[in-house]
């Protein structure tokens, strides 16, 4: 009989709803409890997903001996405190990306996981999907990497509301994804998607040069800067890298990895579903066509969020302390890079 890992879910928002649809596809997953500050909302979420227990206090859920692990799907600025609370109760933690608001917080979370002998993993699907793992293997076969170009631009459903709030036409709180008080912004929300895979594939860059588009939003009784989009250049030995991301514009640009032996082209970096390989051939001019692209796509999971729960449970079942791709060292490197991008763009969070 398959041993079940009993999960508590913190947060009843859209992301928790999404991930559960993938999590339940792993036969080792069991949703044992949900925690929401709003009892009615928690009960509605529990009813929808067949979850037997509802908590309104995280401490009580973290102390429940009937729970083995906790998924945290709350706004960015809450990840640090919630994770450390759960880790201190001996619970494994799968925390939604970004792992924390900054490197300091992420480092404290990693220390708490190691101190309590439990697994902490960032819920980053980009680096765990079957087609990314396929790309990772191919990169090793294609010789020295020369350039990485990662793109994720997606017009936010909250941006129109944000513009009305800034103009004084709408009297509602700034959405958390654009709120510096919640450690929001384009970098934290979607810029991490092209950056994390870059670090997994090539390590932490030696240098960072960022160009951000920012605006001021009402926050904590004043106006504070938040980033809307960014373009970042990264420096590596023997190669360069670029990440472009936006919450105010759409793009269909593919992510590309150029190596001595050829080019890998990914349809999208946040969840890769299709991959092409063009092997290096003889130099061509406008009169001669180059090598043809070959589709090397592997079958996708039935749900894009299955991969992160499968990896997390695999780590625990195997007795390992960390994921290989979504390791704490990779998460800390990414947090450090994003701190530097924000520093160059003048984006400051309360936890900084």
């Amino acid at each position: 009989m398959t041993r079940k890992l009993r999960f508590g879910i913190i947060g009843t928002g859209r992301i928790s709803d999404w991930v559960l649809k993938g999590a339940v596809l792993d036969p080792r997953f069991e949703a044992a409890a949900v925690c929401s500050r709003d009892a009615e909302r928690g009960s509605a979420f529990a009813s929808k997903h067949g979850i037997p227990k509802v908590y309104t206090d995280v401490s009580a859920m973290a102390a429940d001996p009937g729970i083995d692990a906790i998924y945290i799907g709350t706004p960015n600025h809450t990840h640090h405190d919630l994770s450390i609370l759960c880790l201190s109760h001996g619970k494994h933690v799968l925390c939604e990306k970004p792992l924390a608001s900054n490197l300091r917080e992420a480092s404290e979370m990693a220390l708490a996981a190691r101190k309590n002998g439990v697994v902490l993993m960032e819920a980053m699907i980009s680096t765990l999907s079957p087609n990314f793992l396929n790309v990772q293997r191919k990169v090793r076969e294609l010789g020295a990497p020369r350039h990485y170009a990662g793109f994720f631009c997606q017009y936010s459903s909250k941006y129109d509301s944000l513009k009305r709030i800034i103009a004084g036409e709408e009297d509602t709180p700034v959405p958390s994804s654009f709120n510096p008080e919640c450690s929001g912004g384009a970098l934290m929300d979607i810029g991490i998607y092209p950056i994390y895979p870059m670090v997994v594939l090539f390590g932490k860059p030696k240098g960072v040069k960022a160009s951000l588009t920012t605006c001021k939003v009402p926050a904590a009784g004043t106006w504070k800067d938040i980033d809307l989009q960014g373009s970042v250049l990264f420096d590596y030995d023997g190669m360069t890298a670029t990440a472009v991301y936006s919450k105010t514009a759409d793009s269909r640009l593919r992510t590309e990895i150029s190596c001595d032996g050829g080019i890998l082209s990914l349809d999208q970096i946040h969840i890769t579903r299709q991959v092409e390989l063009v092997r290096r051939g003889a130099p061509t001019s406008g009169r001669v066509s180059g090598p043809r692209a070959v589709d090397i796509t592997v079958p996708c999971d039935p749900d894009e969020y299955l991969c992160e729960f499968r990896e997390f449970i695999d780590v625990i079942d195997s007795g390992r302390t960390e994921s290989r791709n979504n390791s704490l060292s990779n998460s800390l490197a990414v947090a450090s890079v994003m701190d530097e991008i924000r520093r160059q763009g003048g984006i400051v969070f309360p936890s900084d």
Side-chain angles (χ1 to χ4, degrees):
M1 183 177 177
T2 301
R3 185 180 77 88
K4 297 278 191 177
L5 194 70
R6 300 165 298 179
F7 275 79
I9 311 297
I10 301 179
T12 56
R14 181 172 60 177
I15 186 63
S16 294
D17 193 55
W18 284 352
V19 301
L20 272 176
K21 293 173 183 175
V24 297
L25 298 178
D26 191 311
R28 301 167 296 174
F29 173 87
E30 178 183 337
V34 63
C35 185
S36 173
R37 291 173 298 179
D38 185 323
E40 186 176 343
R41 187 171 182 180
S43 295
F45 188 90
S47 178
K48 178 180 179 180
H49 293 283
I51 300 173
K53 295 181 182 179
V54 179
Y55 286 95
T56 56
D57 178 69
V58 174
S59 296
M61 187 171 82
D64 186 341
I67 294 173
D68 307 305
I70 291 178
Y71 166 78
I72 297 174
T74 52
N76 302 341
H77 68 296
T78 67
H79 291 178
H80 170 267
D81 290 356
L82 291 175
S83 292
I84 289 181
L85 173 62
C86 296
L87 293 165
S88 68
H89 280 83
K91 308 302 184 188
H92 305 292
V93 171
L94 177 61
C95 183
E96 192 52 59
K97 63 80 191 168
L99 186 65
S101 299
N102 52 39
L103 177 60
R104 177 189 62 79
E105 286 192 346
S107 299
E108 291 173 359
M109 291 160 67
L111 181 63
R114 289 165 178 152
K115 178 181 177 181
N116 290 284
V118 288
V119 174
L120 169 66
M121 190 182 96
E122 190 165 1
M124 166 57 65
I125 59 176
S126 292
T127 46
L128 299 174
S129 69
N131 274 292
F132 178 82
L133 299 179
N134 183 33
V135 165
Q136 194 172 22
R137 290 188 292 268
K138 289 295 181 184
V139 166
R140 299 189 192 109
E141 299 171 7
L142 288 173
R146 297 304 179 191
H147 186 65
Y148 168 90
F151 300 93
F152 188 16
C153 301
Q154 183 172 277
Y155 192 94
S156 171
S157 60
K158 305 289 180 61
Y159 184 49
D160 289 335
S161 175
L162 178 69
K163 289 189 287 186
R164 291 192 295 269
I165 292 170
I166 292 171
E169 300 168 356
E170 185 175 313
D171 186 22
T172 59
V174 173
S176 62
S177 58
F178 284 110
N179 193 336
E181 294 298 294
C182 299
S183 304
L187 173 66
M188 304 295 277
D189 194 27
I190 64 175
I192 190 173
Y193 282 112
I195 293 172
Y196 205 113
M198 178 192 75
V199 170
V200 168
L201 291 171
F202 310 115
K204 185 180 176 181
K206 296 193 307 176
V208 176
K209 185 176 182 180
S211 176
L212 306 186
T213 300
T214 65
C215 74
K216 291 189 180 294
V217 299
T222 185
W223 289 79
K224 295 186 176 183
D225 289 316
I226 197 68
D227 61 314
L228 303 175
Q229 60 185 17
S231 177
V232 189
L233 299 177
F234 303 96
D235 183 32
Y236 286 90
D237 287 331
M239 67 169 282
T240 55
T242 308
V244 177
Y245 54 91
S246 177
K247 287 177 68 67
T248 62
D250 291 319
S251 173
R252 294 176 61 84
L253 288 171
R254 295 171 69 94
T255 287
E256 192 169 271
I257 305 167
S258 299
C259 303
D260 279 353
I263 303 167
L264 290 161
S265 175
L266 293 63
D267 65 334
Q268 50 189 13
I269 192 59
H270 63 294
I271 180 71
T272 304
R273 297 190 179 94
Q274 193 267 339
V275 185
E276 294 177 352
L277 168 62
V278 180
R279 293 197 178 274
R280 183 176 60 80
T284 63
S285 68
R287 299 179 183 276
V288 182
S289 61
R292 292 181 178 273
V294 177
D295 192 310
I296 60 167
T297 304
V298 299
C300 298
D301 286 326
D303 186 276
E304 61 192 37
Y305 288 99
L306 168 59
C307 63
E308 64 188 22
F309 283 89
R310 179 175 58 221
E311 173 73 4
F312 184 66
I313 297 172
D314 281 349
V315 171
I316 294 168
D317 280 354
S318 68
R320 290 184 282 131
T321 57
E322 295 185 29
S323 166
R324 292 188 176 91
N325 275 6
N326 292 17
S327 65
L328 292 177
S329 59
N330 282 336
S331 289
L332 293 175
V334 170
S336 175
V337 168
M338 295 203 302
D339 277 3
E340 176 59 19
I341 293 171
R342 286 196 298 112
R343 186 194 69 78
Q344 293 184 23
I347 306 301
V348 179
F349 298 148
S351 57
D352 293 336

